[in-house]
């Protein structure tokens, strides 16, 4: 199967080359962080997590979203997802990989990362997070590779694989729940300490992940002769619609609870995000334009997704999906992580702005994800095109 | 309830109910034993007299004693956001936000209060640490740090409700005089680990008082009291029973062991 | 298959590259370090210390930092404080990191991070100096 990776058009190799260059730039930027420490980032004593952890949180959701294709296909025998399901599993693999890299990039002592496994600490959510992420990576690799290999050989996948397929369903839910628990279990941070955080994470994940899958389907249709199927894309867009609406609803619940109860410590992070906080005569409002842009974009995308004619419009749909991804990335990646630190437990306000090095490392890590995804999708396309009549090599 | 039974119950709960049940069960145990009751085990604690410690010379001396003894780097002003602090001062309304109402006497409102790690009974930082690099020492209740073990994930910093933890964003030796640590017998830290007050575990081992307590009391006698809060014979035990004291963020249930006399 | 030659060439390059650290030293003859040992006796025999000092220090740090043990009882029954700087590197023993620790570590190409934090006596100005 791997041979498909090494046979491609000029465009394919140019894209691979571009990704490698971006990865190289990211590695170069990271070398400064490795030498000088996390001082090269915008993080501080008060805002001790930043861009890396924000991306990590967002991408765990993308990884978990494979379950939205796996459940209908394997549990409800929804045939339209037959060609899509492998794409979902092979999206989960680079997504988890990217998550792990973001965690590694965020560590002060990355060489000691294995301490988490050497000294397992069940009361730490981070230990669980690492465990479930590794597990999820393994499950999706096993299921994806074996089912694709069987398809290539024209045989049914082995019965024991069903076990891993079923396991992947609760496992996908668990990775994002555990990620929410990282935040929700901290009594020091009223903004995060809310039981709705895990459902909110899942809703946003099931909107953002399938959105990305839809966009990838359109790309695959464009660059190859393999078509994941119109019906599959349509059904997936319905999933995005429901999940996006649920997410907006959950955020609304949060805002009602906080502002109706009128408790200062719970309101301050929200006020910081949407209005800015006054403190000792200074205004802190770095996030305000991003948060409003994200929320408005998200609501507009949701409205167009709810309207059947615009949702079914295949010219418009990729843009709606892009809007959903961007809106949720701003809300859950950027806003959710950063606002939790404002104000600090000692009621100080320190604003965070990512540095160029942080951005370069972030883009580099995403490029590693994109490269992995490209390689895995190239295999899928190769196998699928081979099955088509009068196959023409891509 | 004795320790072994409590231990057994905890382990049994982990085994049978999973970790979700742990906080529920320990809350039950807490209700039975009650926070603050005298027990055989040692729990070091500290009282800070807010009035006596509202004195810049005293606060500076306490910080200097601590930071010199433990080679805490003086991070330059342009990196102020990345400061390392084991003991420092904050305005009263920032230390006790729940107590600082709008009509509070101004003399109290603007007081500078000495703050440090609270060495909590149920520390949030210990709960979240993925490598056991920070833990609550059974022998004397100090929340310790193992600088060899810390991976620098900063989960503890997000979890601490007191802002007591600092991260080494740079190599701390960069910020030390002529690259020479003040105390050659105490290690510095490496880049990328979290650090905080240890209640001067090394001094306690030798039967001495913590550096800040010694320095503060040399300036204003009785500014700080340090001792075993579980020992009914100790000075601090008597102090706490005879004076009205506060702890920070009592409602969060971490059980701080640094007390404040107003 | 026409690719056979290429595959074999690739394999050979790979094997040479990954095993280089094992045989690379054959060409670079570095003389064994001449380590100056202090007078007197270490807490364990010379051979034991050469082979096991790293494990001992590793155990020590967990014992001291995590378990609160302060005393090491040597095989001859003598007691020693568990401390890198106060026992091993105290004045009159291995107080010269450059001449003692570094010589072997450089030869063996290992880079322990002990001194990222612990202060070596010969790397600070003597007391009373500047």
């Amino acid at each position: 199967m791997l041979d498909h990776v090494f046979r491609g058009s000029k465009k394919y190799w140019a894209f691979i080359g571009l990704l490698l260059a971006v990865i190289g730039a990211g590695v170069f930027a990271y070398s400064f962080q490795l030498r000088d420490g996390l001082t090269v980032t915008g993080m501080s004593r008060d805002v001790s997590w930043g861009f890396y952890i924000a991306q990590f949180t967002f991408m765990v959701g993308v990884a978990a979203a494979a379950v939205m294709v796996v459940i209908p296909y394997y549990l409800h025998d929804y045939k339209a997802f037959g060609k899509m399901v492998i794409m979902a599993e092979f999206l989960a693999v680079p997504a988890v990989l990217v998550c792990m890299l973001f965690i590694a990039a965020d560590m002060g002592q990355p060489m000691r990362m294995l301490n988490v496994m050497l000294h397992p600490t069940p009361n730490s959510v981070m230990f669980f997070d690492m465990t479930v992420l590794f597990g999820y990576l393994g499950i999706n690799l096993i299921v994806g590779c074996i089912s694709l290999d069987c398809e290539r050989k024209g045989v049914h996948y082995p019965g024991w694989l069903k076990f891993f397929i079923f396991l992947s369903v609760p496992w996908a839910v668990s990775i994002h729940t555990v990620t929410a628990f990282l935040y929700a279990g901290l009594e020091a941070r009223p903004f995060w300490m809310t039981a709705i955080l895990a459902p909110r994470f899942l809703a946003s994940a099931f909107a953002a992940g399938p959105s990305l899958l839809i966009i990838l389907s359109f790309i695959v249709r464009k660059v190859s002769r393999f078509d994941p199927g119109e019906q599959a894309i349509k059904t997936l867009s319905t999933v995005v619609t429901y999940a996006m609406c649920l997410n907006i609803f959950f955020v609304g619940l949060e805002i009602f609870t906080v502002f109706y109860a009128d408790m200062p410590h719970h309101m301050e992070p929200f006020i910081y995000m949407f209005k800015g906080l006054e403190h000792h005569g200074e205004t802190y409002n770095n996030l305000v334009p991003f948060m409003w842009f994200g929320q408005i974009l998200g609501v507009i995308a949701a409205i167009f997704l709810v309207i059947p004619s615009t949702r079914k419009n295949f010219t418009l749909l990729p843009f709606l999906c892009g809007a959903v991804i961007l809106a949720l990335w701003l809300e859950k990646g950027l806003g959710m992580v950063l606002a939790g630190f404002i104000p600090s437990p000692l009621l100080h306000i320190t604003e965070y702005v990512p540095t160029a090095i942080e951005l370069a490392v972030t883009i580099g890590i995403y490029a590693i994800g994109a490269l992995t995804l490209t390689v895995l999708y190239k295999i899928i396309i190769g196998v699928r095109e081979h099955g088509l009549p009068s196959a023409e090599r891509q | 309830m004795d320790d072994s039974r409590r231990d057994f119950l905890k382990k049994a709960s982990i085994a049978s109910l999973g970790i979700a049940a742990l906080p529920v069960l320990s809350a039950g145990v807490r209700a039975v034993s009650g926070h603050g009751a005298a027990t055989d085990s040692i729990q070091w604690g500290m009282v800070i007299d807010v009035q006596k410690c509202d004195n810049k010379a005293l606060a500076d001396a306490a910080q200097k004693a601590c930071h010199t003894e433990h080679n805490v780097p003086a991070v330059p002003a342009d990196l102020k956001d990345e400061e390392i602090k084991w003991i420092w001062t904050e305005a009263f309304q920032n230390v006790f936000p729940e107590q600082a109402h709008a009509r509070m006497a101004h003399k109290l409102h603007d007081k500078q209060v000495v703050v440090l790690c609270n060495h909590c009974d149920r520390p949030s930082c210990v709960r979240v640490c993925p490598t056991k690099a920070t833990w609550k020492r059974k022998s004397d209740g100090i929340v310790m740090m193992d600088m060899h073990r810390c991976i620098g994930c900063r989960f503890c910093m997000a979890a601490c409700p007191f802002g007591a933890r600092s991260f080494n964003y740079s190599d701390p030796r960069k910020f030390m005089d002529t690259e020479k640590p003040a105390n050659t017998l105490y290690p510095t830290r490496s880049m990328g680990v979290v650090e905080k007050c240890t209640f001067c575990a090394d001094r306690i081992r030798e039967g001495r008082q913590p550096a800040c307590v010694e320095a503060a009391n040399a300036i204003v006698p009785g500014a700080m009291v340090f001792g075993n809060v579980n020992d009914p014979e100790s000075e601090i035990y008597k102090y706490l029973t005879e004076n009205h004291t506060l702890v920070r963020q009592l409602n969060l249930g971490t059980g701080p062991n640094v007390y404040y006399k107003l | 298959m026409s690719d056979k030659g290429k595959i074999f060439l690739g394999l050979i390059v790979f094997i040479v590259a990954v095993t280089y650290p094992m045989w690379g030293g054959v060409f670079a003859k570095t003389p064994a370090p001449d380590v100056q040992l202090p007078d007197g006796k270490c807490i364990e025999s010379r051979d034991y210390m050469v082979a096991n000092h790293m494990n001992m220090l590793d155990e020590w740090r967990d014992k001291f930092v995590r378990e609160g043990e302060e005393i090491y009882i040597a095989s001859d029954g003598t007691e020693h404080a568990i401390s890198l700087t106060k026992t091993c590197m105290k004045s009159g023993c291995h107080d010269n990191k450059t001449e003692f620790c570094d010589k072997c570590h450089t030869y063996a190409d290992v880079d322990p991070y002990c001194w990222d934090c612990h202060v070596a006596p010969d790397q600070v100005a003597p007391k009373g100096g500047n």
Side-chain angles (χ1 to χ4, degrees):
Chain A
M1 293 202 292
L2 265 177
D3 56 330
H4 296 294
V5 176
F6 298 102
R7 284 191 215 119
S9 63
K10 268 199 181 127
K11 269 188 190 160
Y12 168 74
W13 285 112
F15 185 61
I16 296 279
L18 176 74
L19 288 177
L20 285 173
V22 177
I23 293 168
V27 171
F28 180 66
Y30 183 69
S31 72
F32 290 96
Q33 187 184 311
L34 207 55
R35 190 191 67 190
D36 298 336
L38 286 161
T39 186
V40 302
T41 69
M43 288 182 273
S44 57
R45 196 178 188 280
D46 283 344
V47 186
S48 47
W49 282 340
F51 226 51
Y52 298 146
I53 292 296
Q55 313 302 330
F56 154 78
T57 308
F58 180 76
M59 287 309 286
V60 175
V62 172
V67 79
M68 286 291 103
V69 182
V70 169
I71 291 178
Y73 180 66
Y74 285 109
L75 268 58
H76 301 283
D77 203 24
Y78 182 69
K79 294 272 191 287
F81 276 164
K83 291 175 177 170
M84 186 79 95
V85 71
I86 183 83
M87 288 176 62
E89 284 153 358
F90 274 181
L91 170 61
V93 170
V96 177
L97 188 70
V98 161
C99 290
M100 289 170 163
L101 288 171
F102 275 121
I103 292 197
D106 190 64
M107 293 293 124
Q109 285 280 346
M111 282 78 76
R112 294 185 192 161
M113 277 270 278
L114 277 182
N115 278 359
V116 178
M117 297 294 157
L118 289 173
H119 309 287
T121 315
N123 51 288
S124 172
V125 183
M126 200 171 279
F127 164 73
F128 273 98
D129 212 16
M130 198 143 161
T131 313
V132 292
L133 279 179
F134 269 112
Y136 195 64
L137 183 69
I139 289 175
N140 279 287
L141 267 177
I142 292 170
V143 173
C145 292
I146 291 181
S147 57
L148 188 65
D149 193 43
C150 291
E151 182 186 317
R152 189 179 60 101
K153 290 173 183 151
V155 294
H156 195 265
Y157 58 82
W160 58 264
L161 200 66
K162 262 273 183 247
F163 171 77
F164 286 99
I165 290 164
F166 289 150
L167 188 63
S168 79
V169 174
W171 207 290
V173 177
S174 86
I175 61 168
H176 218 25
T177 305
V178 171
T179 305
F181 284 177
L182 282 176
Y183 301 98
L186 304 181
E187 70 272 42
R189 311 284 171 180
F191 181 61
W192 292 337
M193 218 194 91
T194 164
I196 200 80
L197 202 66
R200 218 182 109 186
F201 272 22
L202 286 166
S204 58
F206 296 154
S211 289
L212 185 56
L213 205 50
I214 290 174
I215 293 176
L216 289 170
S217 300
F218 280 114
I219 294 173
V220 165
R221 273 153 67 111
K222 201 156 192 160
V223 301
S224 78
R225 297 188 308 121
F226 161 54
D227 183 0
E230 214 160 275
Q231 188 52 43
I233 293 176
K234 276 185 181 158
T235 309
L236 212 50
S237 68
T238 319
V239 171
V240 173
T241 309
Y242 276 109
M244 190 62 189
C245 292
L246 263 179
N247 183 64
I248 291 171
F249 175 60
F250 286 163
V251 173
L253 293 180
E254 187 80 76
I255 286 173
F256 167 79
T257 311
V258 165
F259 283 89
Y260 190 77
D262 199 25
M263 285 171 77
H265 294 333
H266 291 264
M267 292 192 294
E268 275 157 5
F270 284 99
I271 297 172
Y272 171 68
M273 283 198 291
F274 291 105
K275 184 162 167 272
L277 277 177
E278 299 272 343
H279 190 63
H280 291 310
E282 279 197 57
T283 310
Y284 299 90
N285 55 8
N286 269 353
L287 283 180
V288 173
F290 297 101
M291 290 303 108
W292 280 110
F293 175 70
Q295 289 304 313
I296 293 168
L297 188 69
V299 171
I300 291 174
I303 291 170
F304 277 102
L305 281 168
V306 169
I307 301 167
S309 60
T310 42
R311 182 178 66 241
K312 286 173 185 159
N313 181 333
F314 271 22
T315 322
L316 195 61
L317 186 58
F319 293 99
L320 291 178
C321 290
V324 165
I325 293 171
L326 183 58
L328 291 174
W329 179 82
L330 287 168
E331 176 191 301
K332 170 173 155 189
L334 215 57
M336 201 284 307
V337 173
L338 297 183
F341 291 103
I342 307 239
S344 79
L346 283 157
L347 306 184
H348 298 302
I349 301 180
T350 310
E351 291 202 286
Y352 162 88
V353 181
T355 60
I357 289 182
E358 244 171 320
L359 292 176
V361 172
T362 301
I363 294 169
I365 290 176
Y366 275 125
I368 294 175
L371 181 68
T372 317
L373 184 86
T374 309
V375 164
L376 290 173
Y377 274 34
K378 188 77 176 51
I379 297 174
I380 302 177
I381 292 169
V383 169
R384 292 275 158 83
E385 282 186 334
H386 204 72
L388 295 174
S390 69
E392 205 180 283
R393 285 270 150 73
Q394 177 71 24
Chain B
M1 190 176 284
D2 66 315
D3 271 5
S4 61
R5 255 180 80 195
R6 184 188 306 206
D7 245 35
F8 169 76
L9 276 172
K10 271 191 173 174
K11 277 172 191 155
S13 82
I14 296 168
S16 60
L17 302 165
I19 55 150
L22 184 58
V24 180
L25 187 90
S26 57
V29 171
R30 202 178 307 152
V32 176
S33 67
H35 174 49
T39 63
D40 291 342
S41 62
I42 299 173
Q43 170 63 61
W44 297 114
M46 186 186 282
V47 175
I48 291 172
D49 186 319
V50 172
Q51 304 289 348
K52 287 181 179 170
C53 288
D54 182 35
N55 170 334
K56 189 156 186 336
L58 179 147
D60 286 350
Q63 186 185 49
K64 186 159 185 272
C66 167
H67 287 192
T68 311
E69 173 134 352
H70 302 111
N71 294 322
V72 177
V75 178
D78 61 320
L79 292 172
K80 204 176 177 316
D81 287 352
E82 299 174 6
E83 232 180 339
I84 314 264
K85 297 185 278 198
W86 284 27
I87 180 169
W88 71 103
T89 58
E90 294 278 350
F92 182 87
Q93 71 262 27
N94 293 9
V95 181
F96 295 102
E98 266 71 38
Q99 307 291 334
H101 58 81
R103 289 178 182 77
M104 166 162 268
H106 273 294
K107 61 174 182 163
L108 199 56
H109 211 270
D110 299 325
K111 279 227 177 314
Q112 287 294 308
V113 180
V114 173
V115 291
L116 67 160
C117 170
N118 281 294
H119 297 274
C120 303
D121 289 343
R122 293 168 296 279
S124 325
C125 53
V126 169
R127 186 179 72 224
V128 301
C129 178
T131 61
K132 301 189 188 83
T134 192
W135 73 100
K136 186 158 178 75
R137 209 152 73 167
K138 283 213 177 75
S139 57
D140 60 6
I142 293 181
V143 175
M144 284 293 284
M145 280 291 308
D146 185 346
M147 300 302 173
H148 310 102
R149 179 76 67 86
C150 176
I151 58 172
C153 71
R154 309 188 296 295
F155 203 0
C156 55
M157 294 176 77
C160 175
F162 308 104
R165 294 177 157 263
S166 310
F167 178 72
N168 284 282
Y169 281 93
S170 307
D171 182 353
R173 287 206 178 177
K174 271 190 198 165
F175 309 129
M176 286 173 197
D177 267 354
T178 62
E179 301 231 343
K180 182 186 81 172
N183 180 359
T184 55
L185 290 180
Y186 197 86
T188 66
R189 264 67 64 196
S190 61
M191 182 170 81
V193 298
V194 174
E195 62 180 87
K196 66 165 194 77
C197 155
T198 64
F199 257 179
C200 281
D202 282 345
R203 281 170 159 256
I204 292 173
R205 189 181 285 127
E206 296 163 3
R208 296 155 73 202
Q209 295 267 300
C212 57
V213 177
E214 214 174 85
N217 289 344
I219 293 174
V220 180
M224 294 185 186
V225 182
F226 182 83
N228 176 8
V229 294
N230 286 346
D231 175 10
E233 300 303 313
S234 70
E235 185 194 354
I236 192 167
Y237 188 95
K238 287 172 189 156
Y239 192 107
L240 288 170
T241 49
E242 286 162 12
N243 292 281
H244 179 63
T245 49
L246 296 175
V247 294
R248 293 168 67 188
Q249 311 269 25
L250 181 68
N251 58 324
L252 296 185
T254 64
N257 281 297
V258 174
Y259 300 83
Y260 290 88
K261 179 178 180 286
L262 293 186
Chain C
M1 290 279 273
S2 57
D3 288 342
K4 224 177 210 171
K6 280 187 209 161
I7 291 171
F8 265 103
L9 192 69
L11 268 178
I12 288 166
V13 169
F14 176 74
I15 288 166
V16 167
V18 297
T19 57
Y20 175 78
M22 291 185 236
W23 51 261
V26 172
F27 303 110
K29 268 269 182 263
T30 315
D34 172 31
V35 178
Q36 290 296 315
L37 290 175
D39 297 333
K41 198 170 151 291
C42 197
I43 58 174
E44 298 286 356
S45 74
R46 183 186 174 278
D47 289 345
Y48 181 84
M49 290 312 287
V50 168
N52 296 306
H53 69 281
M54 59 298 260
N55 301 330
M56 180 187 270
L57 288 171
D58 190 42
E59 279 167 31
W60 273 21
R61 73 177 188 191
D62 273 0
K63 282 217 164 88
F64 186 82
V65 179
R66 309 189 65 86
E67 288 148 40
E69 276 186 45
E70 294 164 48
I71 304 293
Y72 172 76
I73 300 170
S75 50
D76 64 358
T78 52
E79 293 188 355
H80 306 273
I82 293 184
S83 172
L84 174 68
T85 38
K86 292 173 199 163
T87 298
C88 310
M89 303 186 81
K90 72 180 173 201
S91 176
C93 288
H94 308 292
D95 52 7
N96 196 325
K97 171 176 175 276
T98 324
E99 285 300 311
F100 185 74
C101 313
D102 289 353
K103 270 199 168 167
C104 270
H105 290 161
T106 309
Y107 174 72
D109 198 18
V110 290
D111 187 17
Y113 55 82
C114 312
W115 298 280
D116 286 3
C117 299
H118 293 274
V119 184
D122 59 319
Q123 292 185 341
V124 289
K127 269 226 165 79
N130 61 335

